[in-house]
């Protein structure tokens, strides 16, 4: 079955960067679109962007351009998201999700990122 | 951006019908397809896809869940409500990129 396993919680200092991972199994990663999403209680869920694992092509929410960078490693069926220059506004739970035809069909368990000195 | 508006909460009794609404700031239909989808999220868990393209049940989702609507007005119905359905429900559009509603928390009366 489809599985998306995300890395553990992160505590990062303001101004630092963090790289989140999402290891997948149970589907053909190399022909899939992987999205990343941000959830903060109250403001709800925001789509950050997707990456096509086949050729590394990306599409970002304008709001997250320059903040998030999506990459994949096809050899390990893993998707990554780099978040740079972190501030308190970036504190959230981040999810990876398998994306098909506009829907987020399967989600990782989420990873909490805390930004604090 | 297309803005999706949901009521914050809905109180319902077990075995009754729950109707959760989602209104969009722009039409999310195109060529007869409604680009509206619904998710369920329980505390501490990831969201789960329930309904796609307005009214299609996702794989493994019980038939007591159904979706309807078109244009700018959509509804998720749960009938009958079971204890396991107590959760927050989000609508999401994919007509113009992807945006979510703020969620409706389903509570027991």
């Amino acid at each position: 079955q489809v599985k998306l396993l995300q890395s553990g919680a992160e505590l990062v200092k303001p101004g630092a960067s963090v790289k989140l991972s999402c290891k997948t199994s149970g589907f053909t990663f190399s022909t899939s679109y992987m999205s990343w999403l941000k959830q903060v209680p109250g403001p709800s869920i925001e789509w950050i962007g997707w990456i096509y694992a086949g050729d590394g092509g990306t599409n970002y929410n304008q709001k997250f351009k320059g903040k998030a960078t999506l990459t994949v490693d096809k050899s390990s069926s893993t998707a990554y998201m780099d978040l740079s220059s972190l501030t308190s506004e970036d504190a959230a739970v981040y999810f990876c999700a398998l994306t098909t035809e506009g829907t987020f069909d399967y989600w990782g368990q989420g990873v909490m990122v805390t930004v604090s000195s | 951006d297309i803005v999706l508006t949901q009521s914050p909460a809905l109180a319902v009794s077990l075995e009754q019908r729950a109707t959760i609404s989602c209104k969009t700031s722009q039409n999310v239909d195109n060529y007869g397809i409604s680009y509206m989808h619904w998710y369920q999220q329980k505390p501490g868990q990831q969201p789960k896809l329930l309904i796609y393209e307005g009214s299609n049940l996702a794989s493994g989702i019980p038939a007591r869940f159904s979706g309807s609507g078109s244009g700018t007005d959509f509804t998720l119905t749960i009938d009958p409500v079971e204890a396991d359905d107590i959760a927050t429900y989000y609508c999401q559009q994919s007509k113009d990129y992807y945006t979510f509603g703020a969620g409706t928390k389903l509570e027991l009366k």
Side-chain angles (χ1 to χ4, degrees), chain B:
Chain B
D1 286 7
I2 298 178
V3 177
L4 281 63
T5 302
Q6 298 182 248
S7 298
L10 176 68
V12 65
S13 301
L14 295 179
E15 302 297 315
Q16 298 303 303
R17 175 186 299 170
T19 301
I20 297 170
S21 69
C22 178
K23 296 184 186 299
T24 62
S25 61
Q26 299 174 37
N27 190 324
V28 297
D29 292 355
N30 198 23
Y31 296 108
I33 296 174
S34 292
Y35 291 94
M36 172 58 65
H37 323 291
W38 292 92
Y39 299 82
Q40 176 194 67
Q41 185 178 32
K42 298 178 181 178
Q45 295 186 19
Q46 66 269 54
K48 178 196 297 185
L49 178 66
L50 299 175
I51 300 286
Y52 65 96
E53 292 177 0
S55 59
N56 298 297
L57 211 57
S59 176
I61 302 303
R64 64 178 184 276
F65 291 91
S66 62
S68 62
S70 65
T72 60
D73 287 275
F74 295 88
T75 301
L76 172 70
T77 301
I78 311 171
D79 188 14
V81 170
E82 297 186 359
D84 189 52
D85 302 333
I86 300 307
T88 298
Y89 292 85
Y90 294 93
C91 54
Q92 174 242 322
Q93 66 80 27
S94 60
K95 171 82 181 300
D96 179 20
Y97 284 94
Y98 315 100
T99 51
F100 288 78
T104 296
K105 189 174 184 181
L106 189 65
E107 302 168 329
L108 283 179
K109 259 184 203 175

Side-chain angles (χ1 to χ4, degrees), chain A residues 51-113:
Chain A
I51 182 167
Y52 178 59
D55 61 6
T58 53
N59 190 8
Y60 292 95
N61 181 337
Q62 182 69 31
K63 178 180 176 179
F64 292 95
K65 285 184 178 178
K67 170 62 66 176
T69 302
L70 307 186
T71 56
V72 295
D73 177 357
K74 287 195 285 187
S75 68
S76 63
S77 298
T78 302
Y80 298 94
M81 178 173 68
D82 273 290
L83 294 170
S84 62
S85 304
L86 290 166
T87 72
S88 59
E89 297 290 306
D90 300 312
V93 176
Y94 291 88
F95 294 96
C96 60
L98 173 61
T99 306
T100 62
E101 301 293 334
T103 55
F104 306 103
D105 294 13
Y106 297 92
W107 298 59
Q109 83 277 19
V111 57
M112 181 172 292
V113 173

Side-chain angles (χ1 to χ4, degrees), chain A residues 3-8 21-25 36 78-79 96 107-110:
Chain A
K3 290 185 179 179
L4 286 72
L5 184 62
Q6 297 186 237
S7 46
S21 67
C22 174
K23 184 165 178 56
T24 74
S25 61
W36 288 85
T78 302
C96 60
W107 298 59
Q109 83 277 19

